Amino acid sequence: MPLTPMASALETHGPEWLRTMVRIRLFEETLADLYKRGELVGVVHLSIGQEATAVGVCSGLRDRDQITSTHRGHHHMLARGLDPRRMFSEILGRAGGYCGGKGGSMHVSAPSEGAVGANGIVGGGIPHAVGLAFAARTLGRDAVAVAFFGDGAANQGVFFESLNLAALWRAPVVFVCENNGYTEFTPTDAVTAGESIVSRAAVFGIPARGVDGDEVAAVEQAAGEALELARAGGGPSFLECRTNRWRGHHEGEESYAKPYREPFAPADPIERLEQALRNAGHDVSGLRASIDAEERARIAEALAAAQAEPEPPVERAFADVFA
């Protein structure tokens, strides 16, 4: 009996997805530890629990494709293939970071590696992706743009403007809403009118679907269909990936914010992938053990290298700015 497309993708890419998701988890757990030790400047927003959406979408991207991200974007960047050492360098304010240590956690940018940038402004990356897609189509480039954003951004005016322009221009862009249930400290349902976020795309004639954002194979399949449509000239698509963020809005919020959600035990997307691989006949225990060991060593080495780097020189303070 032939494998379904989802089962086939799992068989081909499952171990690779598992490795990337574990790398993201370990990277962000390390950031949490650094924050507690006072080694990070400013706030840091973690995406622990949301790894499957980033990995599933980025799995189908090609070299020329670009993503735009959010203030909670480490998982997007690592899933896109960015180097953990240079990510650590940027977040720690070191000269070897992707932006020379001047962007930090919320503004990592590496266009040459397919990541135009994270963005501290809610919804700020959505129009950038539409512009990238329009430019690719106008210049005849075989490229697609992906806009990652959260449920809170779906209530911003720029979200609707971007959907409108993307539909008018039939731009090769895929909108990916990571709905983690909370708009900063407020339940999403309390501030979001209408039937659902995914239904908003229908007004503009944009194909849309909701996806279990914690099941990487389901995300990969949905994203693959959207990317294929965009590459074929079919215009934009919209995905709402329902997931959970395990941490607060940002690290350290417990010092001033009252508890705003009940304790919960969400499904672990990594464990769900392990179970899927187990069902497909893989020796998951051995695979996970080897991946854990290798990725822990990689993350530790990347952090040590980043910490050994110098801070950017003072004379670079006003370089790379428009005015």
Side-chain angles (χ1 to χ4, degrees):
M1 183 176 180
L3 295 173
T4 65
M6 190 181 300
S8 178
L10 178 68
E11 187 67 27
T12 303
H13 302 292
E16 175 189 346
W17 292 339
L18 181 61
R19 178 177 294 279
T20 305
M21 291 168 69
V22 168
R23 179 180 306 147
I24 292 168
R25 179 74 59 85
L26 294 172
F27 181 91
E28 293 213 301
E29 288 176 347
T30 302
L31 290 182
D33 290 340
L34 290 170
Y35 183 88
K36 289 177 182 177
R37 298 202 301 264
E39 296 184 35
L40 294 183
V41 177
V43 297
V44 61
H45 307 78
L46 303 184
S47 60
I48 293 174
Q50 300 181 201
E51 298 90 353
T53 296
V55 172
V57 173
C58 290
S59 178
L61 297 181
R62 300 175 183 172
D63 289 345
R64 283 194 171 188
D65 299 333
Q66 294 280 0
I67 66 169
T68 62
S69 182
T70 72
H71 57 280
R72 195 182 312 282
H74 310 131
H75 59 321
H76 304 142
M77 299 300 175
L78 292 171
R80 190 67 182 104
L82 269 62
D83 179 8
R85 181 191 65 78
R86 295 193 66 189
M87 287 281 291
F88 276 132
S89 296
E90 185 59 39
I91 296 169
L92 291 170
R94 300 299 201 269
Y98 277 105
C99 302
K102 298 190 294 181
S105 172
M106 290 191 284
H107 298 98
V108 178
S109 180
S112 64
E113 298 187 34
V116 165
N119 204 308
I121 298 174
V122 175
I126 302 175
H128 295 169
V130 176
L132 288 163
F134 179 72
R137 197 198 68 179
T138 301
L139 297 173
R141 295 174 179 162
D142 180 20
V144 176
V146 173
F148 286 105
F149 55 96
D151 41 282
N155 291 326
Q156 297 287 329
V158 71
F159 166 74
F160 298 97
E161 295 171 9
S162 297
L163 290 180
N164 184 59
L165 286 176
L168 285 172
W169 294 339
R170 296 185 66 79
V173 57
V174 179
F175 299 98
V176 181
C177 176
E178 286 178 295
N179 185 349
N180 62 31
Y182 281 86
T183 300
E184 199 170 48
F185 306 109
T186 307
T188 300
D189 293 342
V191 293
T192 305
E195 179 184 340
S196 65
I197 290 175
V198 70
S199 66
R200 294 178 173 183
V203 177
F204 301 94
I206 295 175
R209 63 188 292 185
V211 185
D212 182 347
D214 291 334
E215 185 177 348
V216 63
V219 175
E220 189 273 343
Q221 183 180 39
E225 292 172 2
L227 291 167
E228 184 178 350
L229 179 67
R231 297 191 201 285
S237 296
F238 186 96
L239 302 178
E240 180 188 4
C241 300
R242 287 192 166 269
T243 182
N244 292 283
R245 62 168 162 88
W246 294 12
R247 315 285 288 202
H249 173 60
H250 65 81
E251 294 301 285
E253 69 177 31
E254 64 276 2
S255 65
Y256 67 87
K258 295 180 180 180
Y260 54 91
R261 62 181 180 183
E262 296 295 325
F264 70 113
D268 186 337
I270 295 178
E271 290 181 359
R272 288 184 65 174
L273 175 55
E274 285 184 277
Q275 185 59 51
L277 288 169
R278 190 176 293 110
N279 294 342
H282 288 268
D283 174 15
V284 175
S285 59
L287 178 64
R288 178 66 188 270
S290 64
I291 286 176
D292 269 349
E294 292 164 5
E295 292 301 322
R296 284 183 187 279
R298 178 177 182 175
I299 292 300
E301 181 180 354
L303 176 61
Q307 290 173 320
E309 291 177 2
E311 295 181 354
V314 174
E315 55 268 23
R316 291 286 300 169
F318 296 103
D320 308 314
V321 295
F322 290 109

